Amino acid sequence: MSSLYEIKSVIKKISSIENLGQHVCFFGGSVPYIYYNRESNREHSDIDVLVDEKYIDVIRQLAKQSNLYIPKFDSLNLDLGDDYGLKIFIDGVYVEFEPMFIDNGMLVRKSFSPNKEMAGTEMIPFEELTDLIVAIDIDGIKSYCQSPELIKAGKEQYKREKDLLDISFIDSQGIDIEKYHRVKKSLELSETSITSYEDLRSKKTL
């Protein structure tokens, strides 16, 4: 588990990398607090990062150069037939990098779970990309994150204790109601495909 301060420090470090900060998008429970510059008063399990798929190999190379690379946490080493990203620890913070791309009004993200040995793709339609992704400025460092409206709508699907706390916080800061309804509809129309490692490997050999 990591404090908000530790998460924020890692986000700033990633966003500061030349030619990379403008091609990543942060999401997860810590992001609304960083976006609104407020303290969460709780610990966070990780930070999730969407990466333009053209830049995911930049992450890999930087991880290797910095001795942060963990081969078993790189989907390319799992023989899954596609790139589902990689996971590393930066200053003790667990960071999940997920490839994404935009295609014809659809945000497509790929991810994998080493614990569950599953990998999948989520496709989220959108009317305006700024409904899903917004600019963020952290102490003068510019990057992108998921919109508070999207994070709220996503957390409403799970409603774990920490999700309820985050939803309450986002509501207390005020949101764009029209945007919220649009992204809620986007999530309702989204499509998710999750497959086991075994089945992905079988498909690859067919």
Side-chain angles (χ1 to χ4, degrees):
M1 301 295 284
S2 304
S3 69
L4 187 68
Y5 174 83
E6 292 169 325
I7 295 280
K8 183 177 179 180
S9 177
V10 168
I11 287 178
K12 288 170 64 176
K13 182 171 290 190
I14 295 170
S15 299
S16 298
I17 298 173
E18 188 175 0
N19 299 322
L20 182 64
Q22 297 301 300
H23 302 285
V24 297
C25 172
F26 300 94
F27 67 104
S30 63
V31 168
Y33 301 94
I34 295 171
Y35 180 79
Y36 290 114
N37 195 26
R38 298 288 188 272
E39 179 54 60
S40 67
N41 295 312
R42 71 174 178 85
E43 291 196 318
H44 302 269
S45 58
D46 60 12
I47 180 65
D48 302 294
V49 191
L50 296 179
V51 183
D52 182 326
E53 65 174 3
K54 301 187 201 68
Y55 291 83
I56 194 73
D57 276 335
V58 173
I59 300 290
R60 284 192 172 90
Q61 294 307 312
L62 288 171
K64 291 175 180 178
Q65 292 168 13
S66 304
N67 294 319
L68 300 175
Y69 184 73
I70 306 172
K72 67 179 181 179
F73 283 171
D74 183 351
S75 66
L76 286 189
N77 297 326
L78 301 176
D79 197 30
L80 304 179
D82 202 352
D83 188 348
Y84 293 94
L86 69 156
K87 308 172 192 299
I88 63 176
F89 288 89
I90 301 177
D91 298 337
V93 176
Y94 188 52
V95 187
E96 304 191 52
F97 292 99
E98 303 179 1
M100 61 149 283
F101 62 90
I102 305 297
D103 181 35
N104 195 29
M106 193 82 68
L107 186 152
V108 182
R109 56 177 282 231
K110 296 177 287 185
S111 62
F112 72 108
S113 171
N115 292 334
K116 297 180 180 179
E117 296 198 348
M118 306 284 283
T121 301
E122 180 182 28
M123 298 182 291
I124 307 175
F126 60 85
E127 293 183 27
E128 301 176 36
L129 185 56
T130 51
D131 283 349
L132 307 183
I133 296 175
V134 295
I136 188 171
D137 186 310
I138 311 172
D139 301 333
I141 299 171
K142 301 182 186 302
S143 192
Y144 292 92
C145 67
Q146 283 192 348
S147 70
E149 291 81 6
L150 178 58
I151 294 174
K152 168 180 161 69
K155 285 181 169 293
E156 287 174 338
Q157 296 179 328
Y158 299 100
K159 294 185 177 180
R160 297 163 296 189
E161 182 178 354
K162 64 179 181 179
D163 296 321
L164 295 175
L165 289 172
D166 295 340
I167 291 167
S168 177
F169 169 75
I170 293 171
D171 285 340
S172 74
Q173 299 303 302
I175 61 171
D176 183 325
I177 297 299
E178 291 185 2
K179 178 188 285 192
Y180 165 72
H181 287 301
R182 287 197 301 269
V183 298
K184 193 173 178 66
K185 181 179 179 181
S186 291
L187 289 183
E188 290 171 353
L189 296 173
S190 67
E191 297 181 13
T192 302
S193 173
I194 301 175
T195 309
S196 69
Y197 288 2
E198 183 179 356
D199 285 347
L200 286 170
R201 288 165 183 153
S202 296
K203 289 178 182 179
K204 187 180 176 184
T205 58
L206 292 177

